[in-house]
Amino acid sequence: MSTSVSPLTLRRATMDDADWLLTWANDPEVRRASTNSEPIARETHVTWLREKLKDAGTAFYICEHAGEPVGYARVERRDDGSGEIAVSIEATRRGHGLGRRLIELASARGADELAVASVVARVKRD
């Protein structure tokens, strides 16, 4: 069965997702693409996640494919009234169109939940 056949679903991230999120965040490819390329310590991650989950200006989702967590999307309200999205797909699931579909789903849902007219993504050039 092709990875792109089953639908993706989004659910709210919780503190129970901390280990998944830390694993995805510390993936070497993700770290290279980030503005901060150093590995993230667990204590730092847990503190950061707790704050993001409490923030009314952040919509944080776990992406599931066939009932399995495969990535995340986070939309944050910016000062200019738009939203900014960050996404990551588990390394073994990349290259099957999941990231593109995750961006579409999370952008629409995040824009609606945060009442923003547009969602943008920042991309590291190198």
Side-chain angles (χ1 to χ4, degrees):
M1 179 163 112
S2 170
T3 302
S4 61
V5 173
S6 297
L8 294 182
T9 58
L10 298 180
R11 64 168 173 79
R12 285 280 186 185
T14 70
M15 288 305 296
D16 291 340
D17 298 310
D19 290 337
W20 284 112
L21 291 163
L22 183 59
T23 298
W24 297 328
N26 276 331
D27 176 275
E29 190 173 339
V30 172
R31 295 293 4 117
R32 282 190 301 276
S34 178
T35 55
N36 169 16
S37 58
E38 295 299 314
I40 302 166
R42 179 162 177 63
E43 310 78 49
T44 302
H45 169 69
V46 168
T47 299
W48 173 86
L49 179 58
R50 189 172 289 115
E51 292 304 311
K52 288 297 177 187
L53 294 176
K54 287 193 277 185
D55 182 359
T58 300
F60 208 145
Y61 311 109
I62 296 297
C63 174
E64 293 182 338
H65 180 257
E68 237 182 281
V70 297
Y72 78 87
R74 186 181 72 251
V75 180
E76 297 182 49
R77 187 180 300 114
R78 297 182 347 163
D79 290 339
D80 67 2
S82 67
E84 183 173 302
I85 192 168
V87 299
S88 183
I89 293 288
E90 178 182 306
T92 61
R93 303 294 187 111
R94 294 180 191 143
H96 300 280
L98 296 178
R100 182 180 342 227
R101 289 174 41 222
L102 173 55
I103 290 167
E104 290 171 357
L105 289 171
S107 293
R109 184 166 164 185
D112 185 54
E113 289 181 16
L114 298 174
V116 296
S118 64
V119 176
V120 299
R122 235 185 312 167
V123 179
K124 185 176 174 184
R125 289 183 180 252
D126 59 342

